[in-house]
Structures are given as structure tokens and as C-alpha cells.
Amino acid sequence: MYENLVPRFIRYVKTETRSDENSTTIPSTQSQVAFAKTLMEELKDLGLSDIAYNEANGYVTATLPSNTEKKVPTVGFIAHMDTADFNAENVNPQFHENYNGTAIILNEEQQVVLDPKDFPNLKNYVGQTLITTDGTTLLGADDKAGIAEIMTAMEVLINDDSIEHGDIRVGFGPDEEIGIGADRFDVPGFNATFAYTMDGGPVGELEFESFNAASAIVKIQGKNVHPGTAKNTMVNAVKIGMAFDALLPQDEVPEKTDGREGFYHLVGITGEVDEATLTYIIRDHDREKFEARKAFMLEQAATLNKEYGSERITIELNDSYYNMGEIIEKDMTVVDIAEEAMKNLSIEPIIEPIRGGTDGSKISFMGLPTPNIFAGGENFHGRYEFVAVESMEKATAVIVEIARLNALKGA
């Protein structure tokens, strides 16, 4: 039933599609455009209709037409084409059949080892077939596992007329990893009632709550003079930056928080005595706490500006996305169907807020409720990434079962 799933996945991950946050094109890299074109050909070969590439947003979309006379809501399945900011050239997937729970040497020459001591999640995959990197690149299961699963599910539905389903829309988009892929998503054009991103991690993940997210660029103006005559004159911008960061809660950082706990994350600092820039991301599931975090940063800047007697610190705040739970909680049908589908397949749903965001975070606020479902991969964005074949098979089965349940519940 899923004989083409793994070959598809391997073909996809060997195609380099890394996004580029410094690019001004849509998509951010031409490799994504080329990949989109190959996906269009594959969709055509499978027999889908309405296949299109949107030059304005970089999305490939298509329709699997309904095979039922019932009036059924249109469901969509979405995955992203790009990979993260890590080496994605010459991906060389490695297979480990009947994994025995011990350390896996990914690259003997570079001494790169995927060890259960460092990654206890490996113990969950004993007896399964793991696909890993060769230790020099990421794998790209985020999110090419999702694309392969959607493609394979469509193939299953096309080849099995006994599975009744309504219209199904699929969408493969760019630049999720740099946070801009869904900015131009065409909700009216996609024409679905609800959708799912296939972009989660381990089996069972079903996420309809995400962070609220913002970026903060803290610019600091100093005053540089010769250090020999600097007394009462020099203002060290780097020192002010250190003082500013010290005013933020030191336990509210990614490495010290989990669950629903939000954080401030200093992701970069550049500077000299004359000027400095600190770049932060701000995250919280609770909207009020999220807004309070932004206000707190502004308050600390004001405190230091008062201390220095001038506006040495300015902060540029930009919201990135919001907690999609605010939208989805108004009608939980989309979550209920996915949860029921998993339980029908003997998969225990893991419903927890995602400590991040997905394209669905933005798309939900555009008017299309879009929770996130597991795609199976783990240890994303680096050389230790892996996915189990069995996990991808289960994700594919969930897509098919959602389509079946949606038709079953149709009028």
C-alpha cells in the first residue's frame, strides 16, 4: 500500500532546497522553484487535477476530486518544501533496519555518533527501520517526510475506490524555515474548509496551539573616544547591551523553560564601543503574557535611557505569528477528526502546545483552521536528524483516515 513512500522520501531529501533568509525572491531560493516543478509533474502523474504553481507565493496546489455524492467539507493537507539553515547538499540517507537501541556511528571519520545517551528518544524506535544522515548534512525529514506522506496518501486514495472521500486539496509551500512561507498563502484560492500541516515530530503529535512570536532588534548608540581620555565621555554600547540583557529574567530563556513557559532568546549580538545590536526572539503561548514581555523590554530600555540621560537604546518589535489555538478553539471539529483518526489506527494522540510555530499558525489567522500533525521525524535541523519508516507509514495512514472520516461525517 505504501511501496512508493520511502523511495519518494529518499528522492526528495536528495534534492537540495535550503531556504535563504537574506534573499528577496519568492521563494527565497531557486532550488525550491525547481523542486516545485518536479512535484507538479508527480501530481499530474498521480492523476490529481487543478495543479498550479503560484508565482506570487511559491505554492504548488492541486485537487483530488471527490468520489462521493455526499456534501463533504473540503479538507487540505499542507507541507513545506524548504529545509533549515544547515548543510543540505549531497544528502546521503543511511538505513538502519531492525534498530537495536545502541549508538549509531553516522560518520566514523568525523566521529559523529547518534547515541541514546544524548538522544534518549532513540529507545522508542527499537526494532524499527531508521533513516539517518551520514553525519555531514541534515536529513530533510522536516518537512519532506510530510510531502512524501501527502503524496502517498493521495496515491492510496486514487487507487482504492472503496475509500469514500470528498474534495481534497494539497499544498506544498516554500520558506517555512525562515518564517515567511505562509505570509502570502492564498486562503480563498486554496478553497478548503479546514486543513492540516504535516510538519510535526514523533508519532501521535497533534498540535493546535502554538507560540505567539515576535522579534526584537535592540539598537544601542554609544560614544567612542580615545581610551586614554575617555573618563566621563566614553559610552560603551557593548556594555550597555550587556546591562540590558542582564535586566531580562535570566531563567526565562529557552534552555531553562518547557511546556507553556515563554522566554526571551538572545539569538545574536554584534557591536563595538560606538554601536551595538542585540537580536531577540520573544515567545509565549498566552497572548497577555506575550504582550507583557514586549512591554517589559521597552520598560528596561526606558530605564537605561533614563540612567544615561539620553535615548541610547531603541527597540524595533515585529510580531511574527500568533497562537493558532485562538482560532481553532472556536470550532474544534478539525482537531476532533484528527484525534478520532489516530485512535482508529491505534495511535495515542499527543495533544500538547507546540513550542514553536508552523505555517498553520499564520494560515489559521487568515481564516483557514490548520492544526499540525506528526510527520515522524526527530532531531530536526541538524546532522542528528532521523525518521523511522514506520512513523511515516502511520502518518500516511492518518491522512487517509482523516479523508475517510470527513466523508463519513458529511451530509
Side-chain angles (χ1 to χ4, degrees):
M1 189 175 183
Y2 303 137
E3 62 181 10
N4 293 320
L5 174 60
V6 173
R8 236 180 219 118
F9 174 69
I10 298 302
R11 187 168 70 251
Y12 295 165
V13 299
K14 286 187 174 182
T15 304
E16 190 275 316
T17 57
R18 183 174 176 177
S19 47
D20 179 5
E21 66 179 354
N22 296 314
S23 172
T24 58
T25 63
I26 302 170
S28 66
T29 52
Q30 286 303 302
S31 60
Q32 293 182 76
V33 178
F35 186 51
K37 302 298 185 183
T38 66
L39 293 178
M40 291 178 71
E41 289 300 316
E42 187 171 355
L43 289 163
K44 181 179 177 180
D45 291 342
L46 284 177
L48 276 75
S49 61
D50 303 326
I51 301 165
Y53 176 73
N54 189 322
E55 298 280 353
N57 62 24
Y59 272 82
V60 173
T61 55
T63 302
L64 178 62
S66 171
N67 66 356
T68 179
E69 296 297 322
K70 296 178 181 178
K71 185 178 180 180
V72 177
T74 299
V75 58
F77 295 97
I78 300 168
H80 65 87
M81 299 182 291
D82 65 318
T83 57
D85 189 19
F86 194 84
N87 182 25
E89 294 184 354
N90 302 312
V91 173
N92 183 28
Q94 304 293 302
F95 284 79
H96 309 272
E97 296 183 0
N98 194 25
Y99 172 60
N100 62 9
T102 60
I104 299 172
I105 299 175
L106 300 177
N107 191 296
E108 188 169 3
E109 181 180 350
Q110 297 184 23
Q111 297 184 355
V112 181
V113 180
L114 184 60
D115 196 325
K117 293 179 182 178
D118 301 316
F119 304 102
N121 50 347
L122 282 165
K123 293 294 186 179
N124 298 325
Y125 297 93
V126 172
Q128 299 186 36
T129 296
L130 297 187
I131 305 175
T132 70
T133 75
D134 67 359
T136 64
T137 69
L138 49 64
L139 180 60
D142 179 14
D143 186 27
K144 288 170 181 172
I147 299 176
E149 291 152 7
I150 293 170
M151 282 285 198
T152 304
M154 296 307 102
E155 184 177 37
V156 169
L157 292 169
I158 287 169
N159 292 327
D160 190 347
D161 289 334
S162 70
I163 305 173
E164 199 173 23
H165 62 83
D167 284 343
I168 299 173
R169 292 284 282 163
V170 301
F172 304 129
D175 296 331
E176 190 270 353
E177 298 294 359
I178 58 175
I180 62 173
D183 288 355
R184 296 176 176 84
F185 184 78
D186 183 5
V187 169
F190 195 60
N191 195 29
T193 306
F194 55 86
Y196 302 90
T197 49
M198 301 299 300
D199 193 20
V203 170
E205 280 192 354
L206 172 55
E207 299 156 332
F208 68 91
E209 294 181 83
S210 62
F211 272 141
N212 295 289
S215 64
I217 299 175
V218 181
K219 294 184 177 180
I220 304 168
Q221 185 62 56
K223 182 188 295 183
N224 194 12
V225 296
H226 191 286
T229 58
K231 187 174 181 180
N232 298 324
T233 303
M234 178 183 285
V235 179
N236 192 320
V238 176
K239 288 275 193 176
I240 295 176
M242 294 168 63
F244 176 83
D245 188 71
L247 290 174
L248 301 180
Q250 297 302 296
D251 287 333
E252 296 179 17
V253 292
E255 59 268 35
K256 295 184 179 181
T257 54
D258 61 8
R260 293 183 178 275
E261 296 172 327
F263 56 74
Y264 304 89
H265 181 28
L266 177 60
V267 296
I269 180 169
T270 59
E272 299 173 344
V273 173
D274 195 54
E275 58 183 11
T277 301
L278 286 72
T279 304
Y280 291 86
I281 61 173
I282 306 164
R283 299 290 188 267
D284 210 298
H285 289 99
D286 183 278
R287 179 69 79 99
E288 288 188 9
K289 292 180 180 178
F290 171 66
E291 297 297 337
R293 288 185 182 281
K294 293 187 290 182
F296 185 77
M297 292 189 82
L298 294 173
E299 290 167 7
Q300 305 321 301
T303 296
L304 288 175
N305 283 335
K306 184 177 181 180
E307 179 180 328
Y308 282 94
S310 62
E311 192 170 286
R312 294 286 175 186
I313 304 174
T314 58
I315 301 180
E316 179 183 326
L317 289 164
N318 289 293
D319 289 354
S320 304
Y321 56 83
Y322 302 110
N323 185 346
M324 58 186 172
E326 290 183 29
I327 302 300
I328 295 172
E329 285 176 345
K330 296 175 183 178
D331 183 353
M332 290 288 285
T333 301
V334 62
V335 176
D336 295 339
I337 291 175
E339 185 175 6
E340 184 176 348
M342 290 186 192
K343 290 180 177 178
N344 288 351
L345 297 167
S346 300
I347 297 170
E348 184 63 32
I350 303 170
I351 302 177
E352 296 177 348
I354 183 174
R355 285 182 63 78
T358 67
D359 280 341
S361 303
K362 292 183 178 180
I363 294 171
S364 292
F365 275 87
M366 293 176 178
L368 179 63
T370 308
N372 191 42
I373 291 176
F374 71 91
E378 299 223 36
N379 300 351
F380 292 152
H381 297 187
R383 67 184 81 246
Y384 300 104
E385 184 182 7
F386 69 88
V387 67
V389 171
E390 291 82 355
S391 298
M392 290 195 295
E393 290 175 343
K394 289 178 180 178
T396 304
V398 168
I399 296 171
V400 173
E401 182 64 5
I402 287 173
R404 188 191 73 82
L405 282 176
N406 185 47
L408 186 65
K409 296 173 183 294

